[in-house]
Each structure stands twice: as C-alpha cells, then as structure tokens.
Amino acid sequence: MNIFGMGLPEIMVILTIALLIFGPKKLPEIGRSMGKAIRGFQDASREFESEIKREAEQLEASKPAKPAESQKVASAVSPEEAIPSSEKG
C-alpha cells in the first residue's frame, strides 16, 4: 500500500498522532471535511479540464484553412498586376 509516497507504517503513525491530538469524536468530522474538500477539488479540476477542451474545440472549429487562403490570394493577383508599371517596358 503506497499513498502519497508513504507506506503503511507511516500512515499508521500519522493516524495515531491525529487520534491523540483530536480525539475519537473529532476524527470522523475531520475525515468528512477532508473528503468534501478533496471531492470539491476533483469537481473543480474536471470542470476546468472540460472548459479547456471546449475552448480548444472552438478554436479548432473557427480556425480558417490556410491552404485555401493562399490559393485565393495567389488567384486574386494576376502576374501582370504583380509587376510594377515602371518595370513594364
């Protein structure tokens, strides 16, 4: 068992110290509040991740096609227009 890089002996020591400090009546309350905090953090993380994905999809959908634009620009300017009138003989 390996949680946050700690093994079972370390977790047992931490739980024993917490039991001595807070007492048996406060530990369930502390556990509940920590569980709610972790759940809230996970929900916020999922919401943030979905928002990032949604923004990325919107950017990809609104991104113009670059090859089509370069063809439009090339076809809009004829070779005669590309040469300045001073160079035409």
Side-chain angles (χ1 to χ4, degrees):
M1 185 172 160
N2 190 0
I3 300 173
F4 300 119
M6 298 183 296
L8 186 61
E10 290 89 0
I11 292 174
M12 293 303 294
V13 169
I14 291 171
L15 290 175
T16 304
I17 292 172
L19 180 64
L20 291 174
I21 292 174
F22 297 111
K25 292 183 180 179
K26 284 284 188 180
L27 279 183
E29 293 175 25
I30 293 170
R32 266 187 239 111
S33 64
M34 285 181 62
K36 287 179 183 179
I38 290 172
R39 182 177 296 147
F41 179 75
Q42 288 174 342
D43 291 343
S45 175
R46 282 189 209 110
E47 183 178 331
F48 180 73
E49 184 179 347
S50 68
E51 182 70 26
I52 295 292
K53 286 180 181 179
R54 190 174 353 166
E55 289 292 328
E57 289 171 358
Q58 287 178 353
L59 284 175
E60 287 179 9
S62 67
K63 188 188 299 184
K66 290 187 178 186
E69 283 184 17
S70 63
Q71 290 175 354
K72 287 179 186 176
V73 171
S75 64
V77 178
S78 66
E80 294 172 356
E81 293 173 349
I83 301 173
S85 59
S86 63
E87 293 181 14
K88 293 180 183 177

